[in-house]
C-alpha cells in the first residue's frame, strides 16, 4: 500500500512539474481561467452602460443626417427647422436599431476588458 501511494505521489509530482512551463505563456490555460470572470463582468457592464451610449450616439448622428437629407444642401435655417420635424422621428428609430447593433457588437469585444471601445466611447461601426 505504501509503494502504491509513493508511486501515485511521484507520478503526480512529475506531471505537475511537466506542466509548469505552460503557465509561463501569457495565453496559457491559467490566464484564461483567471481572466474569464473579469471578461464576463466586462461584457455585462458594457451591455448595461455601452448599449445606451451607442443608441444615443447613433440616434443623434442619424437624426442629423436625416434632417440634412430632407432639408437639402442649401437650406436656410427655417427650412432646416421644419425638416427636423421629419428627420427627428426617422433618426430616432433608425438610430435605436443601428445603435443597438453597434453597442451589442462593441460590448462583446474583449481584447481589453473595460476599454472605452467596449463601452462604445470610441468609433462606432
Amino acid at each position: 500500500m505504501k509503494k502504491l501511494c509513493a508511486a501515485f505521489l511521484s507520478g503526480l509530482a512529475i506531471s505537475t512539474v511537466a506542466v509548469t512551463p505552460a503557465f509561463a505563456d501569457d495565453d496559457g490555460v491559467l490566464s484564461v481561467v483567471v481572466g474569464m470572470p473579469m471578461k464576463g463582468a466586462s461584457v455585462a457592464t458594457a451591455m448595461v452602460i455601452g448599449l445606451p451610449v451607442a443608441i444615443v450616439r447613433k440616434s443623434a448622428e442619424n437624426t442629423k443626417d436625416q434632417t440634412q437629407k430632407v432639408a437639402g444642401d442649401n437650406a436656410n435655417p427655417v427650412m432646416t427647422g421644419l425638416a427636423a420635424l421629419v428627420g427627428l422621428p426617422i433618426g430616432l428609430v433608425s438610430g435605436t436599431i443601428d445603435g443597438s447593433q453597434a453597442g451589442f457588437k462593441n460590448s462583446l469585444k474583449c481584447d481589453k476588458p473595460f476599454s472605452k471601445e467596449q463601452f462604445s466611447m470610441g468609433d462606432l461601426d
Side-chain angles (χ1 to χ4, degrees):
M1 183 71 181
K2 288 183 182 181
K3 289 180 184 180
L4 182 64
C5 232
F8 176 73
L9 290 176
S10 295
L12 184 66
I14 290 172
S15 66
T16 303
V17 171
V19 176
T20 303
F23 291 137
D25 186 20
D26 286 338
D27 295 331
V29 175
L30 185 64
S31 66
V32 171
V33 170
V34 172
M36 288 300 283
M38 185 166 63
K39 288 181 181 181
S42 173
V43 169
T45 306
M47 289 274 190
V48 171
I49 295 172
L51 195 63
V53 169
I55 290 172
V56 168
R57 287 183 62 194
K58 278 292 198 180
S59 293
E61 180 182 321
N62 287 355
T63 298
K64 181 180 171 186
D65 290 343
Q66 293 299 324
T67 301
Q68 188 70 25
K69 283 181 184 177
V70 171
D73 293 333
N74 299 325
N76 59 15
V78 174
M79 185 65 172
T80 304
L82 292 174
L85 295 174
V86 176
L88 181 67
I90 296 171
L92 287 176
V93 171
S94 66
T96 301
I97 294 168
D98 293 344
S100 297
Q101 292 172 350
F104 185 74
K105 187 177 80 172
N106 287 339
S107 66
L108 293 178
K109 288 183 182 176
C110 285
D111 296 336
K112 186 176 177 187
F114 297 105
S115 64
K116 72 176 190 173
E117 287 82 18
Q118 192 174 21
F119 287 102
S120 299
M121 301 286 186
D123 293 332
L124 290 175
D125 299 351

